[in-house]
């Protein structure tokens, strides 16, 4: 079984091997994320759990940092994986790419160990440089920030130079432009200021312009690649759609940033700008949904017409996760995002469990899903399997993880609803109002359900890893 | 596509160019608005405070003033009201001292990771109360007298949160020193003076109302 971890059957294609290295670390970090999330979730229900041993702040910091990092790993892995297919050539700087991988992985390990074992520092610059920065999602200490920047620069140089040398497809063009914006934005989150309004102003430049602009475009490009690769969709049409998606995503997402500037000290004009543009953000998500399902249906139809079984796609687990992505992106980001994006609503929902509900479904639906699909595409290539079929465990993984995350989202939405009505609308968000809402029986019940659904998610994850480790059992399907 | 002249709507080139233009224009607009907003949220000066010029984010020396959060008929929501001078930890803080104290407070807030349990200006984690207006929280008013001023009460709490716990879900001891606690209280007081366009809403309801305790909304 464990041989499957090391199998790399790419006929010497080094870029794909490098991609697989990133995928492997990503899946491990995904597991760490879930365990830390569960610890934090239990602390909501059992207040004394690991108190002053591994406090909520520590568990949560590792939870969301592992999330961001595993996604970045899987994104880098995806690019290294698809680049040879798109450009038609080997990636130019494999040696430096491998070095960057090891440097990054070493740095990430040190950072996580410091998070867990050092936890907090004194109120000095030293803590910011060497322990953590204490800014949600961007906690990485300054030394690691600089390290990450260098590693990302080498990655980007690799992508850019390979693009220049090889075939310049539309997908590569979008990726090259998008990755530049994505890396550049990280710099906006790297400075210290005493002014908390200024701090959060730039903090959102990174967080929002990542997840609601550059990452979404990235996903559009991945979906385009996957549709061509596993469904055999026609490139011209897929790439035309991709440009339309870029237009709509950036057209709404860039100024949609305003929906985070309602209450942090910034002027009132953001109410209108933020409301208008962020309300448009679901439109491209609907378009992406329609696009993927349309192509899927069409290629299925063509297969049936040819007398093949429609389920015999080249990679059914990947297709499953891509369909989940199209739907989850629309639901988690589009629908749950729209729920609270107008200032009239957001004044009450801002910073409640409702935000957490949206955060979970959006990150899962928009990103976790498609990155898992990319891992399956990678595994298929690594094992040289012509048609990768779904298995019992691959289906259980998709069902349990989706059900678990959806369940957590519904539980958190319920909890959020109670919190909004009681703490925010009725009592006015004081310390006492906060705990009055936290102690409502139905709120507590919802938090308990979230923990239960978290366990289900974790079981699904175990199935996922099991399935991925046993990929080589499907060798019989090899050509 | 194969035939560029067929229709502009199915031309890759048309959509690629449009995507470029829309992205460019949006980015330019954002940069323009950013210049304006950054100007408006830059901290004011001590002279602004002395001359009663309202700034969205006042100078650090705002800790020398009484702060309130009141309904504004004109704006239709609550706004911070900076009142008369008051002593903070028994003294009046010079510009330099206030800046240094706020700096220590902000650094400590990051080093101790407040934002991964609490929300600040509504952003962060949802495990503990929002700290945007914590300085003005009615609970502190009830404790102020016993501690000789609410800054002392908050500072005592931050140094021994588990010891002073009010609920089953406790805040852990984060090894906060007395100086760091002072800085944090300054940071909280400064944050409560920021004009947040009325967030959190209804916060200014009286202490009395909250004393009625549990609601019956189940
Ligand atoms: C895949 C895309 C998206 C992801 C991954 C995502 C994720 C998140 C996360 C994690 C937060 C919480 C940030 C925090 O910790 O403070 C958040 C906040 C928010 N999101 Fe999204 N989001 C996405 C798309 C959208 C869309 C399309 C909309 C609107 C239509 C939206 C509206 C909002 C709003 C209004 C908030 C602020 C909540 C508050 O005031 O507390 N999001 N999002
Ligand atoms: C085992 C399953 C999981 C559990 C039990 C869990 C639990 C938690 C908890 C307790 C928090 C802190 C919320 C708060 O501050 O009140 C949190 C935050 C978060 N989690 Fe999870 N989580 C799980 C899985 C996931 C997954 C699969 C994703 C995304 C792919 C995710 C994304 C996030 C995000 C983005 C936040 C920050 C939300 C915000 O600030 O609004 N989590 N999670
Ligand atoms: Fe956003």
């Amino acid at each position: 079984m464990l041989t499957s971890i090391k199998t790399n059957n790419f006929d010497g294609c080094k870029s794909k091997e490098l991609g697989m290295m990133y995928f492997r670390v990503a899946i491990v970090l995904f597991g760490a994320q879930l365990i830390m999330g569960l610890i934090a979730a239990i602390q909501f229900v059992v207040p004394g759990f690991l108190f002053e041993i591994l406090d909520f702040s520590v568990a949560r910091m590792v939870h969301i940092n592992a999330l961001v990092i595993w996604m970045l790993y899987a994104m880098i892995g995806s690019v290294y994986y698809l680049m040879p297919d798109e450009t038609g050539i080997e990636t130019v700087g494999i040696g430096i790419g491998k070095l960057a991988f090891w440097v990054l992985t070493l740095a990430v390990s040190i950072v996580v160990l410091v998070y867990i074992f050092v936890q907090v520092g004194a109120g000095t610059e030293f803590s910011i440089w060497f322990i953590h920065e204490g800014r949600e999602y961007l906690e990485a200490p300054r030394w690691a920030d600089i390290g990450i920047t260098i590693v990302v620069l080498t990655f980007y140089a690799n992508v850019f130079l390979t693009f220049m040398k090889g075939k310049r497809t539309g997908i590569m063009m979008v990726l090259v432009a998008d990755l530049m914006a994505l890396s550049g934005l990280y710099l906006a989150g790297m400075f210290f200021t005493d002014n908390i309004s200024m701090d959060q102003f730039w903090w959102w430049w990174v967080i929002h312009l990542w997840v609601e602009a550059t990452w979404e475009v990235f996903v559009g490009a991945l979906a385009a690649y996957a549709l061509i690769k596993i469904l055999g969709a026609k490139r011209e049409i897929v790439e035309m759609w991709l440009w339309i998606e870029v237009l709509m995503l950036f057209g709404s997402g860039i100024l949609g940033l305003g929906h985070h500037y309602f209450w942090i000290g910034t002027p009132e004009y953001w109410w209108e700008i933020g409301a208008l543009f962020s309300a448009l953000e679901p439109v491209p998500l609907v378009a992406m949904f329609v696009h993927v399902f349309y192509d899927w249906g069409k290629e299925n139809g063509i297969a049936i017409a040819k007398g093949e079984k429609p389920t015999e796609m080249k990679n059914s687990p990947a297709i499953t996760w891509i369909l989940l992505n199209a739907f989850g992106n629309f639901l988690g980001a589009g629908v749950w995002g729209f729920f609270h994006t107008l200032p009239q609503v957001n004044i009450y929902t801002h910073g409640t469990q409702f935000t957490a509900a949206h955060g979970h479904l959006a990150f899962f639906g928009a990103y976790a899903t498609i990155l898992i699909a990319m891992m399956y595409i990678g595994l298929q290539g690594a094992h040289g399997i012509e048609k990768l079929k779904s298995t019992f465990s691959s289906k259980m993984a998709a069902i349990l993880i989706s059900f678990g995350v959806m369940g957590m989202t519904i539980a958190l939405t319920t909890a959020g609803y109670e919190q909004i009505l009681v703490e925010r609308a009725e009592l006015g968000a004081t310390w006492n109002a906060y705990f009055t809402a936290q102690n409502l029986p139905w709120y507590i019940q919802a938090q308990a359900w979230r923990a239960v659904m978290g366990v289900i998610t974790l079981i699904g994850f175990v199935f996922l890893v099991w399935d991925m480790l046993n990929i080589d059992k499907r060798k019989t399907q090899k050509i | 596509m194969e035939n560029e002249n067929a229709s502009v709507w199915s031309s890759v080139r048309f959509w690629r160019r449009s995507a470029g233009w829309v992205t460019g224009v949006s980015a330019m607009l954002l940069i323009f608005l950013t210049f304006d907003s950054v100007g408006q949220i830059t901290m004011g000066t001590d002279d602004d405070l002395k001359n009663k010029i309202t700034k969205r984010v006042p100078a650090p020396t705002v800790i020398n003033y009484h702060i309130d959060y009141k309904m504004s008929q004109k704006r239709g929501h609550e706004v911070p009201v900076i009142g008369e001078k008051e002593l903070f930890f028994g003294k009046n803080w010079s510009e330099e001292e206030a800046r240094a104290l706020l700096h220590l407070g902000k650094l400590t807030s990051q080093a101790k990771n407040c934002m991964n349990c609490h929300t600040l200006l509504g952003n962060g984690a949802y495990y503990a109360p929002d700290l945007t207006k914590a300085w003005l929280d009615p609970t502190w008013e009830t404790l102020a007298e016993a501690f000789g001023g609410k800054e002392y009460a908050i500072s005592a709490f931050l140094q021994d949160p588990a010891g002073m716990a009010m609920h089953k879900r406790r805040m852990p001891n984060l090894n906060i020193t007395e100086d760091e606690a002072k800085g944090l209280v300054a940071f909280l007081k400064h944050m409560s003076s920021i004009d947040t366009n009325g967030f959190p809403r209804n916060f200014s309801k009286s202490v009395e109302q909250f004393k009625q305790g549990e609601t019956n909304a189940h």
Side-chain angles (χ1 to χ4, degrees):
Chain A
M1 179 180 100
L2 286 176
T3 54
S4 78
I5 302 183
K6 281 191 256 139
T7 311
N8 280 315
N9 201 344
F10 298 123
D11 300 326
C13 178
K14 298 274 182 233
S15 191
K16 293 197 171 186
E17 277 179 26
L18 184 53
M20 293 306 290
M21 287 161 70
Y22 276 100
F23 285 152
R24 283 179 205 119
V25 178
I27 201 86
V28 172
L29 288 168
F30 187 15
Q33 182 210 346
L34 295 184
I35 287 165
M36 287 295 165
L38 262 181
I39 292 176
I42 292 171
Q43 284 167 332
F44 262 101
V45 193
V46 185
F49 185 62
L50 294 182
F51 183 71
E52 292 187 346
I53 298 167
L54 192 100
D55 283 310
F56 181 86
S57 47
V58 181
R60 186 187 197 269
M61 171 167 66
V62 182
H63 178 59
I64 59 177
N65 272 224
L67 162 76
V68 173
I69 294 293
W70 85 252
M71 290 194 169
L72 288 174
Y73 261 81
M75 285 160 76
I76 297 178
S78 303
V79 173
Y80 277 129
Y81 191 88
L82 64 77
M83 215 149 48
D85 289 344
E86 286 294 306
T87 57
I89 58 166
E90 176 67 284
T91 299
V92 292
I94 288 297
I96 189 113
K98 283 216 165 131
L99 181 68
F101 167 83
W102 289 112
V103 171
L104 185 63
T105 305
L106 183 69
V108 168
S109 318
I110 296 173
V111 167
V112 172
L113 290 177
V114 170
Y115 282 174
I116 295 180
F117 293 105
V118 182
Q119 301 189 351
V120 289
T124 56
E125 304 276 350
F126 178 85
S127 301
I128 305 295
W129 272 92
F130 297 104
I131 301 176
H132 62 71
E133 287 190 40
R135 296 167 75 208
E136 210 196 349
Y137 304 105
L138 307 181
E139 285 98 343
R142 187 77 39 85
W143 74 266
D145 275 350
I146 295 170
I148 291 170
T149 310
I150 295 169
V151 167
V152 169
L153 277 178
T154 60
F155 164 67
Y156 188 73
N158 240 336
V159 176
F160 185 76
L161 295 174
T162 311
F163 169 72
M164 292 306 282
K165 201 170 145 203
K167 202 163 65 191
R168 299 184 198 169
T169 62
I171 291 177
M172 278 309 288
M173 230 184 275
V174 171
L175 280 178
V176 164
D178 189 55
L179 286 172
M180 183 160 67
L182 200 161
S183 329
L185 282 169
Y186 191 68
L187 300 176
M190 275 177 60
F191 65 95
F192 177 88
T193 158
D194 292 337
N195 182 337
I196 184 72
S197 291
M198 198 67 86
D199 181 320
Q200 297 200 347
F201 186 90
W202 291 107
W203 180 81
W204 279 118
W205 264 64
V206 188
I207 308 303
H208 172 102
L209 293 179
W210 266 8
V211 300
E212 286 164 66
T214 46
W215 285 30
E216 282 283 6
V217 167
F218 187 89
V219 161
L222 285 191
Y225 167 78
L227 288 177
I228 296 171
K229 173 117 181 158
I230 42 185
L231 284 180
K234 209 161 152 218
R235 181 174 284 273
E236 287 84 4
I237 302 192
V238 170
E239 288 195 342
M240 185 184 82
W241 263 102
L242 181 58
W243 287 114
I244 299 176
E245 284 162 12
V246 172
L247 183 158
M248 294 197 289
L249 285 168
F250 280 147
S252 61
I254 291 177
L255 287 164
L257 175 57
H259 66 181
H260 302 295
Y261 294 162
F262 297 154
W263 328 113
I264 63 163
T266 31
E268 283 99 333
Y269 55 69
W270 289 109
W271 284 348
E272 286 79 16
I273 297 171
L276 175 65
F277 287 93
S278 70
L280 291 173
E281 283 181 38
V283 177
L285 304 182
V286 176
M288 286 159 90
F289 173 75
V290 172
H291 173 200
V292 169
F293 271 78
Y294 177 82
D295 273 10
W296 180 57
K298 196 178 82 180
E299 300 302 328
N300 255 335
I302 294 174
I304 292 171
K306 279 202 228 144
E308 292 169 11
K309 273 218 329 252
T311 46
E312 286 198 354
M313 294 295 164
K314 282 187 194 149
N315 188 331
S316 340
I319 279 291
T320 308
W321 283 103
I322 284 170
L323 295 179
L324 282 171
N325 171 258
F327 191 56
N329 198 354
F330 160 69
L331 200 66
V335 177
W336 253 262
F338 185 78
F339 274 164
H340 61 164
T341 204
L342 300 179
Q344 294 85 339
V345 177
N346 194 259
I347 181 101
Y348 296 111
T349 60
H350 184 42
T352 61
Q353 294 297 322
F354 192 89
T355 311
H358 158 68
H360 278 89
L361 195 56
F363 258 109
F364 172 74
Y367 303 119
T369 47
I370 193 142
L371 294 171
I372 294 173
M374 288 305 296
M375 291 179 193
Y376 269 111
I377 293 179
L379 283 167
Q380 180 185 24
H383 293 270
I385 298 170
E386 173 74 354
K387 277 197 172 142
L388 188 67
K389 289 189 187 150
S390 293
T391 58
F392 176 73
S393 42
S394 86
K395 286 180 203 160
M396 284 305 280
I399 292 170
L400 289 181
I401 296 179
S402 310
F403 181 76
V405 174
M406 197 60 217
M408 287 197 290
T409 305
I410 292 170
L412 290 173
T413 305
T414 316
Y417 214 81
E418 301 240 342
Q419 187 184 359
I420 291 155
L421 289 178
V422 175
E423 177 200 324
R424 298 303 178 83
E426 192 183 349
L427 297 175
T430 58
W431 184 354
N432 191 44
Y434 175 84
F435 275 104
T436 305
Q438 298 290 315
N439 291 330
L440 292 172
W442 280 359
Y443 177 95
I444 296 172
Q445 207 176 51
Q447 287 289 2
W449 273 110
R450 190 266 293 271
V452 171
M453 290 298 170
V455 173
I456 292 181
T457 310
L458 187 64
I459 297 172
F461 173 78
V462 173
F463 273 108
L464 181 69
V465 174
W466 181 254
D467 189 57
M468 289 181 163
L469 285 176
N470 284 299
I471 283 278
D472 52 356
K473 294 254 170 74
R474 300 177 221 190
K475 280 278 163 78
T476 44
Q477 302 156 336
K478 210 176 153 183
I479 0 157
Chain B
M1 313 233 330
E2 293 98 60
N3 182 357
E4 284 287 342
N5 302 330
S7 160
V8 65
W9 301 114
S10 57
S11 143
V12 172
R13 199 161 145 266
F14 168 76
W15 289 112
R16 185 167 59 222
R17 288 186 158 203
S18 308
W21 275 103
V22 168
T23 306
V25 170
S26 306
M28 292 316 289
L29 271 170
L30 178 63
I31 289 167
F32 170 78
L33 291 166
T34 294
F35 272 104
D36 182 78
S37 288
V38 164
Q40 294 207 43
I41 60 173
T42 301
M43 275 191 206
T45 61
D46 193 42
D47 287 332
D48 292 333
L49 285 167
K50 285 186 183 131
N51 301 326
K52 301 219 172 302
I53 297 171
T54 323
K55 284 283 168 163
R56 301 193 69 92
V57 183
T61 40
V62 76
I63 57 174
N64 294 321
Y65 293 81
H66 182 79
I67 296 165
D68 214 337
Y69 186 54
K70 286 243 163 71
M71 187 68 190
S72 152
Q73 292 308 331
K74 186 161 142 255
R75 295 190 45 197
H77 52 72
E78 292 143 285
V79 291
V81 179
I82 296 166
E84 294 309 308
K85 280 214 151 178
E86 68 182 19
L87 296 180
F88 185 65
F89 285 105
K91 66 179 259 190
N92 184 56
W93 295 71
S94 75
E95 268 185 83
E96 239 161 79
E97 288 169 337
R99 197 176 311 119
L101 191 66
L102 181 65
H103 178 66
L104 173 64
K106 176 68 180 353
L107 264 182
T108 309
S109 79
Q110 289 185 215
K112 305 291 180 190
N113 218 345
C114 314
M115 207 182 174
N116 264 316
C117 281
H118 293 273
T119 42
L120 308 176
L121 303 177
N123 294 310
Y126 323 116
Y127 186 69
D130 179 49
L131 294 182
T132 310
K133 304 291 172 191
W135 168 256
L136 303 168
D137 201 280
T139 305
W140 295 124
E141 308 293 344
T142 64
L143 294 174
E145 213 176 318
F147 285 85
K150 72 175 163 184
E151 61 268 45
Y152 294 100
I154 303 178
S155 156
F157 173 82
L158 291 174
Q159 291 171 67
D160 181 21
M164 280 174 70
M166 313 246 176
H167 299 91
K168 272 204 225 114
R169 192 188 300 164
R170 287 171 299 165
M171 172 163 159
N173 187 338
L174 299 165
N175 299 322
I176 295 171
T177 64
E178 190 178 346
D179 280 342
E180 287 170 349
K182 259 189 201 171
L184 285 169
V185 180
F187 171 67
L188 293 175
K189 186 167 183 182
H190 177 260
M191 185 156 59
S192 75
S193 75
I194 294 174
D195 183 344
T196 50
N197 292 338
F199 174 85
R201 179 159 290 195
N202 291 336
F203 188 89
S204 57
K205 285 182 183 173
S206 71
V207 185
E208 268 60 51
Q209 250 175 304
F210 295 105
K211 279 193 174 154
Q212 290 166 10
E214 304 287 318
T215 74
N216 41 20
H218 281 177

